[in-house]
Amino acid sequence: MRRIAGIVLAVLLIGGVVAAVVLGRQGGHDGDKGTATKTVQGVIGSEKAEFFADPAVVKALAAKGFTVKTESSGSWAMENLDLKGYDFAFPSSQAPADALAEKYHARQPLPRPFYSPLVVVAHRNAADVLAANGLATLDGKSRGTLKMGAYLGAAAHDRTWQQLKGADKHTELTGTLYITSTDPESSNSGALYLADASYVAGGGKVAANTADIDRTAPLLHKLITVQGAQQSSSDGPFRDFISGAGNPLVLVYESQVATLLREQHSVDDLVVLYPDTTVNSDHTVVPLTDAGRELGDLLSTDPALRKLAVQHGFRPQGDTAEFVSATADDAAYLNQKLTGVRQAPVPTSEVLHQMARRARG
């Protein structure tokens, strides 16, 4: 009997261990469910690549249950991609986002977590010459305002640097006066440049039809063709500018400048010119799945993610104070409250496409 009791006890003990292991595994699985993340896949504008790659952003998203995998594309080029299987697209402005939303029947309103105005970065010698010739005004050494009407007038008359007083003192300022931008047929910043120029040259009227496009098409064609080959992302021209190569005037997003300043605090020979009439790049999420919409809403409302967006130079929607506070050390370069800057409305996606095609010739 004692032997039988021992065997029974052993069996019970073994059964208890097995049960404990099974329960432990089940408990671990349930625990994983509590901390597991939804993996969402998206296509983004390249200017947001560093934001999503930031370990702090990855951690903040994981804390809310998300793992985000991204691929970069020109904002306008996204229309030609097959986005089946993706959870969201995240172009750099509302016009391409609206076109994608219509194509994929995404529910409105679309989340717009943050925005960034377009600015022109200039080398100091170039900025000084522009100011001396009435094309810009300077607020100190590192910040100023580009007079868009005067600049477009100079571009329309094929002005060269040599025709501007004071330029002869700087051997690097030669050839036609122009701003380097990206390819408007594939890149958001390039398309917005045309929208801005069209609005100013058209007397403050948003282009709405072919007749409106015809009125400014010759000027827009000059603005683009004088540049020669164009890149599809603003990252390339900006890096060329910082390295001292390329054109002395380059159109970029303010967020790119703010990020650079956050990393380096000051940049020799950099002047940031805010066009007196500019266009905001409204970074807009196009949800293709429910998970994509959840992510878009999270980026818009979560305090930690909004703070991180500011650290990457973006302006969160609805609260200027967040950006002003975060960029206080860089106020010499940044027009924090966009004082004296007018916002130009943006044409529809269809009109912008026509405008870009005409400008490219």
Side-chain angles (χ1 to χ4, degrees):
M1 290 296 293
R2 285 195 297 269
R3 185 177 297 172
I4 292 173
I7 294 171
V8 171
L9 181 59
V11 170
L12 289 173
L13 287 171
I14 293 170
V17 171
V18 171
V21 170
V22 171
L23 287 173
R25 287 177 177 173
Q26 289 177 341
H29 183 65
D30 289 341
D32 289 343
K33 284 183 178 178
T35 58
T37 59
K38 296 178 183 177
T39 298
V40 293
Q41 185 86 20
V43 180
I44 63 171
S46 60
E47 68 290 327
K48 292 182 285 289
E50 289 188 8
F51 172 76
F52 281 105
D54 184 342
V57 173
V58 173
K59 183 178 179 180
L61 288 168
K64 295 296 182 178
F66 283 90
T67 294
V68 180
K69 296 183 178 180
T70 63
E71 300 170 19
S72 295
S73 167
S75 293
W76 288 103
M78 290 182 191
E79 287 188 39
N80 299 319
L81 300 177
D82 181 3
L83 298 181
K84 183 178 180 181
Y86 289 84
D87 296 286
F88 70 98
F90 202 173
S92 303
S93 70
Q94 189 173 351
D98 285 341
L100 287 168
E102 182 177 358
K103 179 178 180 179
Y104 291 96
H105 309 290
R107 175 170 54 87
Q108 297 281 354
L110 304 178
R112 294 203 302 273
F114 40 75
Y115 68 98
S116 183
L118 288 174
V119 300
V120 174
V121 290
H123 293 303
R124 185 162 293 125
N125 289 341
D128 287 342
V129 170
L130 292 179
N133 288 270
L135 300 176
T137 58
L138 299 180
D139 305 317
K141 291 184 177 181
S142 304
R143 190 186 73 198
T145 302
L146 178 69
K147 297 182 178 181
M148 276 298 289
Y151 164 71
L152 293 176
H157 291 89
D158 303 313
R159 295 284 292 277
T160 64
W161 284 105
Q162 292 93 322
Q163 292 173 323
L164 302 181
K165 63 181 179 181
D168 56 338
K169 300 176 183 177
H170 312 290
T171 57
E172 75 277 13
L173 299 179
T174 60
T176 304
L177 170 68
Y178 69 90
I179 295 171
T180 293
S181 64
T182 53
D183 182 354
E185 291 194 280
S186 62
S187 171
N188 177 67
S189 60
L192 292 184
Y193 178 43
L194 296 184
D196 191 20
S198 171
Y199 181 78
V200 174
K205 184 178 187 298
V206 182
N209 50 48
T210 301
D212 293 338
I213 296 172
D214 288 344
R215 275 191 285 273
T216 59
L219 172 61
L220 302 188
H221 182 65
K222 281 190 175 185
L223 296 179
I224 298 304
T225 55
V226 70
Q227 301 181 45
Q230 293 178 290
Q231 300 189 48
S232 60
S233 167
S234 59
D235 184 60
F238 185 52
R239 291 184 185 279
D240 289 343
F241 174 87
I242 296 303
S243 69
N247 194 41
L249 302 174
V250 180
L251 186 81
V252 299
Y253 297 111
E254 179 195 56
S255 58
Q256 293 172 285
V257 178
T259 299
L260 177 70
L261 294 172
R262 179 173 62 87
E263 295 171 350
Q264 299 188 19
H265 301 295
S266 65
V267 183
D268 291 339
D269 196 36
L270 170 67
V271 179
V272 185
L273 299 176
Y274 286 75
D276 55 13
T277 301
T278 191
V279 177
N280 283 346
S281 179
D282 287 312
H283 296 269
T284 305
V285 176
V286 182
L288 304 176
T289 65
D290 289 341
R293 181 166 290 276
E294 288 180 42
L295 174 65
D297 291 339
L298 184 65
L299 291 170
S300 301
T301 60
D302 182 72
L305 287 167
R306 286 173 66 92
K307 183 177 180 180
L308 287 165
V310 172
Q311 290 180 10
H312 282 268
F314 300 111
R315 294 173 178 256
Q317 295 283 0
D319 192 349
T320 304
E322 289 177 272
F323 184 83
V324 171
S325 175
T327 59
D329 292 342
D330 302 318
Y333 293 89
L334 303 176
N335 186 344
Q336 295 173 295
K337 296 183 179 180
L338 298 179
T339 304
V341 176
R342 183 183 184 188
Q343 172 66 25
V346 178
T348 64
S349 172
E350 181 181 353
V351 169
L352 273 177
H353 275 306
Q354 291 183 43
M355 199 177 286
R357 285 194 293 268
R358 291 287 298 277
R360 292 286 293 171

